[in-house]
Amino acid sequence: MVARAEDVIPQRSALWAFITRWLLTTNHKDIGTLYLWLSFTLFFTAGAMAMAMRLELFEPGLQFIEPLFYNQMLTMHGLLMVFGVVMPGFVGLANWQIPLMIGAPDMALPRLNNFSFWILPFAFGLLISSLFMDGGAPNFGWTFYAPLSTTYGPPSTDFFILGVHMMGISSVLGAINIIVTIFNLRTPSMKLMDMPLFVWTWLITAFLLIMVMPVLAGAVTMMLTDRHFGTSFFSAAGGGDPLMFQHIFWFFGHPEVYILILPGFGIASQIIPTFARKKLFGYHSMVYATAAIAGLSFVVWGHHMFATGMPLATELFFMYATMLIAVPTGVKVFNWVATMWRGSMTFETPMLFAIGFVILFTIGGFSGLMLALVPADFQYHDTMFVVAHFHYVLYPGAIFGTMAAVYYWIPKWTGHMYDERLGKIHFWMAVIAVNLTFFPMHFTGLAGMPRRIVDYSLQFADFNMVSSIGAGILGLSQVLFLYIVVKTIRGGEKATTQVWEGADGLEWTVPSPAPRHTFETPPEFPPVMNRDADERTPVSTT
Amino acid sequence: MNDTRNNQRKHVIVLSVLAVGMLGFAYALVPLYDVFCELTGINGKTSGRAVDPTTVSEVLLKPSDREVTIQFLAQVGNGMPWEFRPTEHRLKVRLGEINTTNYYARNRAAQAVTGQAVPSVTPGYAAKHLHKVECFCFTQQRLEAGEDLYMPVKFYIDDDLPAELHTLSLSYTLFKVQVPKGIPETLSSVQEASSGGTLASNQK
């Protein structure tokens, strides 16, 4: 008995040490890793839901899932991808990279950082648990329009509301932390206009988060009181207005879609100069364009509501404001292309994903412009064309952006190079499958196939089959990504300090893998790059 | 270092206030929305207050030669067991002239029900030119089981109505006034509505 007790105690304490290490950690690198794994887990969860939908849509008619279950999959897929995959993924990258890129020892508010992360598993636990409740999970789409979500929502809607509150609190706290870190912990010689673009885009994103997540919290609180406490914010019977829900929701929702893409812009702006071996073209215009996009995002929400019977003047205003966003976005695309122009380009996996991002995101931007046109929008509204549009901006934008960032920085995180051959296979699988999945949706949408419906007319059968095959390949390509990431963590070619020949920035001056604590004293800026080369061939200073 | 700490605290406070302020802004959007819609009249909501014709200037109330057609529509909300319809479907009216029409309501349920009508004007921007001297929508109506009622609307359309308008619609949706209840009770009210309906037709 005594011997057994001795066996048990050390085992338990090792487990305990593991749990407390991750549960109580205040280290920005640990928390970044936690965020990224949460995002990755939910990516497969929400991806599996997409697979269920594409399976059902493989052929017309009902074969595999019930319409009600389809609606639940649709809603949960959207909610999880937006709030559980893209946002935590970017926050994870911010946690890892922002302190490393601005020469800070850690985030400014490390305990708050821990708290912001650990809210999330519970928030998503609540949300996913609603699938197993009586009446099923929320089934009203991720936009949860009233009165579908208030009067007609399933009982589990209340769990959804609490979940949204929790992830909102987490996002706002995370955003406050990021802003305070950027303003206070930069290495002294780094001015605001010296900051890497990833840091800049995240700074602007954090402001967007602080300004719109509370509006979302307000909207779901109104829903809650409408459902249970006798208010009628969104109920016409009590003097409220269901249409007002859409205004409040999209006042949050449109800045939200820029929250989902701006850090991706930052990532592309880090990666493209590295592999083009040139400085980023038009650094200042990049910063101002990002700020302009963020500012404009507050005055365009009405373009989601053209078909609600708005007066002509309002429609015109929202149409012009929306088309105005194309200008700063165009500036950014132009700058990325100009950065590559006559560069000594090489095409490692992060660069491939970054170029895929630029091209496919631009296609998504163009279909966005088509949707911005009021007369045309009446045809496109609520069709698969809209689905094609936002998947073209979100998949190659947010998801490819995150993947590019992972390939770019994973040597710094793990100390190992990833498998370049597998990385390239992953990219080509993903980029072909994305187009195979989402491009046909443009055609079915223009021909009138409505979105969010479990069945469709026979004439859409071929395009839907192509989409479903593409979705299957896309899903498989992400399993390959998981394998590549795990393989890189477990071993691989040793990464150098600078990792990439053209890399520039403070994060490439710390050893690979990055030690647990970095920049305990503020580093010099700008850093001296190509140290490895300098060590091999000392350059005379005369 | 102390400086950084102080700065940090300041930034955290400012940003937290911003976040809480935006939550307040979300709630402020509710009255702002109503004010905006009332000022611009873009939502088709007519004013919730009666106009006293004695206080309106003579000029506005002077009947003009211009005639427009006004259509009357009626709907009932979900679970509302009343019969509800306009007595006239359309009316040619002169601008500035006070007109009266009636809506008919009958409670088909087996118990008393209170209703509230919510008006809407199409096109929306005509709403601010439609003035109601008297309207059943200003108050709630309570009808005993099987009781019926003619409910008047007294209104005039002012002379500033945009020239391109020849026809406008005034629509009322009648909702059942109820304290919010759980799903089972909503279901029971539907059942009660349908059973009330049969009851009423039996009486016929």
Side-chain angles (χ1 to χ4, degrees):
Chain A
M1 291 303 275
V2 176
R4 192 187 288 173
E6 276 169 359
D7 284 343
V8 169
I9 289 166
Q11 272 174 15
R12 183 172 161 269
S13 65
L15 180 70
W16 188 241
F18 178 81
I19 291 172
T20 49
R21 150 115 199 246
W22 292 103
L23 196 65
L24 304 179
T25 182
T26 54
N27 181 293
H28 73 99
K29 301 183 182 82
D30 283 356
I31 294 174
T33 306
L34 286 171
Y35 266 111
L36 287 169
W37 277 114
L38 175 76
S39 165
F40 213 175
T41 311
L42 293 175
F43 183 51
F44 281 105
T45 314
M49 294 173 178
M51 291 300 123
M53 287 188 281
R54 280 315 328 173
L55 181 67
E56 180 51 55
L57 294 176
F58 187 75
E59 282 183 336
L62 296 181
Q63 289 89 22
F64 299 100
I65 58 180
E66 298 278 311
L68 183 65
F69 185 70
Y70 180 89
N71 292 351
Q72 296 173 19
M73 289 291 100
L74 179 103
T75 307
M76 297 297 274
H77 168 79
L79 287 169
L80 288 177
M81 281 293 182
V82 168
F83 295 106
V85 176
V86 178
M87 288 169 70
F90 281 150
V91 177
L93 293 173
N95 263 294
W96 251 104
Q97 289 308 128
I98 288 179
L100 284 179
M101 294 170 97
I102 63 173
D106 203 311
M107 297 296 278
L109 311 160
R111 278 168 206 275
L112 192 71
N113 203 10
N114 171 291
F115 181 62
S116 327
F117 171 75
W118 279 109
I119 294 175
L120 286 183
F122 297 96
F124 293 112
L126 267 184
L127 194 58
I128 292 172
S129 72
S130 65
L131 278 168
F132 307 102
M133 290 175 189
D134 274 355
N139 52 10
F140 32 68
W142 86 278
T143 51
F144 54 100
Y145 279 8
L148 198 55
S149 59
T150 49
T151 312
Y152 304 100
S156 63
T157 306
D158 301 321
F159 288 83
F160 152 83
I161 291 172
L162 187 59
V164 169
H165 271 137
M166 287 163 69
M167 59 186 96
I169 291 170
S170 161
S171 300
V172 169
L173 295 180
I176 290 178
N177 202 352
I178 285 169
I179 295 176
V180 174
T181 305
I182 294 175
F183 279 157
N184 294 289
L185 296 187
R186 287 195 318 278
T187 190
S189 47
M190 184 188 271
K191 304 274 173 290
L192 276 177
M193 273 304 187
D194 297 329
M195 294 195 312
L197 249 258
F198 179 69
V199 180
W200 255 116
T201 50
W202 241 113
L203 178 66
I204 291 165
T205 305
F207 272 105
L208 286 181
L209 278 169
I210 291 180
M211 295 190 65
V212 300
M213 290 311 281
V215 176
L216 175 69
V220 293
T221 311
M222 289 177 206
M223 267 176 68
L224 186 73
T225 56
D226 267 14
R227 281 169 63 84
H228 297 295
F229 302 106
T231 60
S232 21
F233 288 105
F234 307 131
S235 151
D241 193 335
L243 193 59
M244 186 178 68
F245 175 86
Q246 296 185 29
H247 282 287
I248 297 179
F249 178 82
W250 287 115
F251 184 85
F252 146 81
H254 204 79
E256 168 71 14
V257 306
Y258 290 101
I259 289 168
L260 300 178
I261 193 61
L262 291 185
F265 287 171
I267 291 162
S269 308
Q270 297 300 131
I271 292 174
I272 290 173
T274 298
F275 296 98
R277 290 167 182 77
K278 274 175 66 189
K279 261 191 147 36
L280 181 70
F281 184 90
Y283 172 90
H284 286 79
S285 64
M286 281 300 219
V287 173
Y288 296 135
T290 311
I293 292 171
L296 283 172
S297 73
F298 284 99
V299 294
V300 296
W301 78 89
H303 65 214
H304 299 271
M305 301 167 56
F306 284 151
T308 57
M310 277 184 175
L312 184 64
T314 324
E315 289 186 330
L316 286 175
F317 169 78
F318 284 122
M319 176 171 96
Y320 291 133
T322 304
M323 299 185 79
L324 206 55
I325 294 188
V327 176
T329 313
V331 168
K332 297 186 86 80
V333 174
F334 176 82
N335 284 346
W336 289 320
V337 175
T339 306
M340 290 187 261
W341 178 252
R342 293 192 169 170
S344 311
M345 290 181 25
T346 50
F347 298 93
E348 286 85 346
T349 311
M351 183 62 163
L352 288 176
F353 272 102
I355 295 173
F357 165 92
V358 173
I359 295 171
L360 297 182
F361 178 81
T362 306
I363 293 178
F366 280 138
S367 59
L369 273 178
M370 291 169 71
L371 286 161
L373 297 165
V374 174
D377 182 69
F378 279 86
Q379 185 192 350
Y380 310 149
H381 183 83
D382 248 342
T383 66
M384 292 304 277
F385 189 82
V386 179
V387 178
H389 159 68
F390 68 73
H391 281 95
Y392 258 86
V393 286
L394 281 173
Y395 212 113
I399 304 290
F400 276 15
T402 308
M403 283 168 180
V406 169
Y407 280 113
Y408 186 54
W409 283 313
I410 206 170
K412 184 55 67 189
W413 302 339
T414 63
H416 305 128
M417 296 305 284
Y418 59 87
D419 188 324
E420 188 65 55
R421 195 177 60 91
L422 288 181
K424 286 202 164 92
I425 294 173
H426 172 218
F427 169 75
W428 286 110
M429 262 176 93
V431 80
I432 291 169
V434 157
N435 286 296
L436 215 52
T437 310
F438 299 117
F439 210 82
M441 292 180 187
H442 289 116
F443 305 133
T444 53
L446 285 176
M449 177 176 163
R451 64 189 279 216
R452 290 182 166 169
I453 293 181
V454 65
D455 195 4
Y456 49 86
S457 311
L458 292 176
Q459 69 267 33
F460 305 124
D462 294 347
F463 279 136
N464 273 286
M465 193 176 279
V466 172
S467 275
S468 288
I469 293 168
I473 301 172
L474 196 52
L476 282 179
S477 78
Q478 306 315 347
V479 178
L480 176 64
F481 182 48
L482 177 65
Y483 172 76
I484 295 170
V485 169
V486 172
K487 190 177 172 213
T488 312
I489 292 170
R490 294 170 70 97
E493 191 195 326
K494 188 93 187 67
T496 60
T497 297
Q498 193 173 342
V499 182
W500 311 108
E501 187 192 26
D504 187 13
L506 286 173
E507 78 262 43
W508 308 112
T509 63
V510 300
S512 304
R516 206 165 150 73
H517 297 285
T518 41
F519 297 131
E520 278 155 324
T521 53
E524 54 173 311
F525 181 84
V528 184
M529 297 315 293
N530 292 312
R531 275 217 184 120
D532 300 341
D534 290 352
E535 281 157 17
R536 280 197 301 273
T537 49
V539 185
S540 77
T541 48
T542 48
Chain B
M1 198 62 205
N2 231 352
D3 237 25
T4 317
R5 282 258 159 254
N6 282 339
N7 257 337
Q8 276 192 23
R9 182 163 304 146
K10 204 172 72 194
H11 286 153
V12 171
I13 291 170
V14 170
L15 294 170
S16 310
V17 168
L18 180 64
V20 175
M22 287 309 291
L23 182 66
F25 178 71
Y27 274 89
L29 281 172
V30 178
L32 278 176
Y33 179 79
D34 285 341
V35 169
F36 187 77
C37 290
E38 188 158 337
L39 284 182
T40 55
I42 55 177
N43 203 21
K45 280 188 177 173
T46 53
S47 166
R49 288 178 299 275
V51 181
D52 183 356
T54 54
T55 63
V56 180
S57 75
E58 289 292 312
V59 188
L60 253 180
L61 270 180
K62 193 172 134 250
S64 80
D65 293 337
R66 188 174 153 210
E67 276 195 335
V68 293
T69 304
I70 178 160
Q71 301 175 317
F72 300 102
L73 301 154
Q75 291 105 45
V76 287
N78 196 31
M80 181 62 173
W82 289 14
E83 181 188 344
F84 178 53
R85 56 181 164 78
T87 52
E88 301 165 285
H89 290 284
R90 58 180 60 223
L91 207 57
K92 259 191 151 48
V93 299
R94 287 202 292 171
L95 300 186
E97 184 184 64
I98 295 181
N99 284 274
T100 307
T101 185
N102 281 293
Y103 273 72
Y104 173 76
R106 189 170 63 88
N107 183 359
R108 290 189 298 204
Q111 65 271 68
V113 173
T114 306
Q116 166 75 57
V118 176
S120 172
V121 173
T122 308
Y125 61 93
K128 62 178 173 181
H129 302 289
L130 183 82
H131 306 276
K132 293 174 186 162
V133 179
E134 192 186 330
C135 178
F136 59 93
C137 59
F138 296 151
T139 54
Q140 296 183 346
Q141 274 74 37
R142 184 181 164 85
L143 290 185
E144 298 301 324
E147 193 186 353
D148 63 358
L149 183 67
Y150 285 91
M151 305 182 294
V153 188
K154 219 168 170 181
F155 66 95
Y156 69 90
I157 299 166
D158 70 39
D159 211 8
D160 296 331
L161 187 76
E164 74 270 18
L165 283 180
H166 306 291
T167 305
L168 44 141
S169 311
L170 174 61
S171 156
Y172 287 97
T173 309
L174 192 67
F175 292 100
K176 184 175 178 179
V177 175
Q178 55 186 346
V179 269
K181 295 169 191 171
I183 285 166
E185 279 160 297
T186 319
L187 284 175
S188 73
S189 79
V190 173
Q191 284 161 357
E192 146 203 314
S194 52
S195 63
T198 29
L199 202 80
S201 54
N202 284 348
Q203 281 169 348
K204 265 182 192 170

